[in-house]
C-alpha cells in the first residue's frame, strides 16, 4: 500500500465502503502500484481525483441500486473527469432488485468523457476467488 500523495504514481484507487466489504477487497489485494483513497475518511469538498491516468473507483450499492449520498456530493467532480481510464468495482447483494446498480449509475455518468475499462461486481464479502480476480485486474493481467 502506498501513501496517497500522488507524486509519482499515475494510478489510484478510490473507494467508499459502508460495512467494510468493498474496503476488504482493496485491503486484501496487493495495491503497491496505486495510491489509495478511502473516501469515507475524506470530506467531499476535500476530495480530488488528481491527474491520474487510471482511476479505480469502488462503491457498494445502497437505496434502490444507487451509490452512497457521498457520490451526490462529489457529482461536480465526477462529471468533470475526462480522458481517464476508469475501472469501477464494488460489493452488492443479489437479493436486491438492482444488483450493484451503483456501478451502472457511475458508468452512465463517466463513460461519455472517459474510457470505462471494466465493472467488477461482487457479492457481499470478497471470497478468495473474487480477490484473485481483482488482483489480476490490478496487475493489468485482465
Ligand atoms: C439500505 C441498503 C440498501 C441496499 N441496496 C442494495 C441494492 O440496491 N443493490 C445491491 O446490490 N446491494 C444493495 N445493498 C447491499 C450492500 O451493497 C451490500 O451489503 C454490500 O456488500 C455492502 O458493501 P460495503 O460493506 O462495501 O458497503 C443494500 C444495503 C443496504 C444496507
Amino acid at each position: 500500500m502506498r501513501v496517497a500523495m500522488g507524486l509519482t504514481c499515475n494510478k489510484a484507487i478510490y473507494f467508499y465502503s459502508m460495512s467494510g466489504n468493498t474496503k476488504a477487497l482493496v485491503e486484501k489485494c496487493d495495491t503497491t502500484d496505486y495510491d489509495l483513497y478511502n473516501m469515507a475518511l475524506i470530506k467531499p469538498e476535500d476530495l480530488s481525483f488528481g491527474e491520474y491516468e487510471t482511476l479505480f473507483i469502488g462503491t457498494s450499492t445502497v437505496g434502490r441500486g444507487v451509490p452512497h449520498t457521498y457520490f451526490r456530493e462529489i457529482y461536480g467532480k465526477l462529471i468533470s473527469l475526462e480522458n481517464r481510464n476508469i475501472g469501477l468495482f464494488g460489493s452488492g447483494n443479489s437479493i436486491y432488485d438492482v444488483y450493484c446498480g451503483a456501478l451502472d449509475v457511475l458508468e452512465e455518468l463517466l463513460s461519455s468523457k472517459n474510457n470505462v475499462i471494466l465493472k467488477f461486481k461482487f457479492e457481499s464479502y470478497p471470497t478468495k476467488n473474487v480477490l484473485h480476480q481483482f488482483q489480476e485486474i490490478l496487475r493489468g493481467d485482465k
Side-chain angles (χ1 to χ4, degrees):
M1 185 187 302
R2 167 194 281 272
V3 177
M5 290 301 291
L7 295 175
T8 55
C9 212
N10 66 2
K11 298 191 283 189
I13 301 173
Y14 290 73
F15 61 94
Y16 193 99
S17 186
M18 192 167 47
S19 52
N21 295 341
T22 304
K23 183 169 179 257
L25 181 74
V26 175
E27 292 187 343
K28 287 181 171 289
C29 284
D30 175 6
T31 55
T32 313
D33 294 338
Y34 294 81
D35 288 339
L36 296 188
Y37 297 88
N38 182 348
M39 296 161 91
L41 303 180
I42 304 170
K43 288 185 197 152
E45 60 269 30
D46 293 339
L47 186 87
S48 164
F49 287 109
E51 299 298 323
Y52 298 104
E53 285 170 25
T54 300
L55 294 172
F56 280 84
I57 302 177
T59 176
S60 50
T61 296
V62 289
R64 287 186 142 246
V66 294
H68 297 267
T69 51
Y70 187 96
F71 285 81
R72 201 179 302 155
E73 295 179 52
I74 59 161
Y75 179 80
K77 293 176 186 180
L78 286 169
I79 59 163
S80 299
L81 288 172
E82 49 187 13
N83 303 321
R84 312 287 185 108
N85 296 314
I86 298 180
L88 300 171
F89 66 96
S91 175
N93 192 319
S94 54
I95 59 164
Y96 290 91
D97 287 347
V98 193
Y99 176 58
C100 291
L103 304 191
D104 304 326
V105 171
L106 289 177
E107 180 184 33
E108 203 173 316
L109 215 58
L110 297 168
S111 59
S112 62
K113 291 195 282 178
N114 301 277
N115 178 24
V116 176
I117 50 181
L118 62 99
K119 278 190 293 184
F120 185 77
K121 302 180 175 185
F122 67 99
E123 182 88 22
S124 302
Y125 193 81
T127 60
K128 214 172 154 187
N129 188 35
V130 162
L131 289 170
H132 179 71
Q133 286 173 34
F134 193 63
Q135 186 67 75
E136 286 192 331
I137 287 169
L138 292 182
R139 280 201 199 104
D141 296 345
K142 281 211 170 151

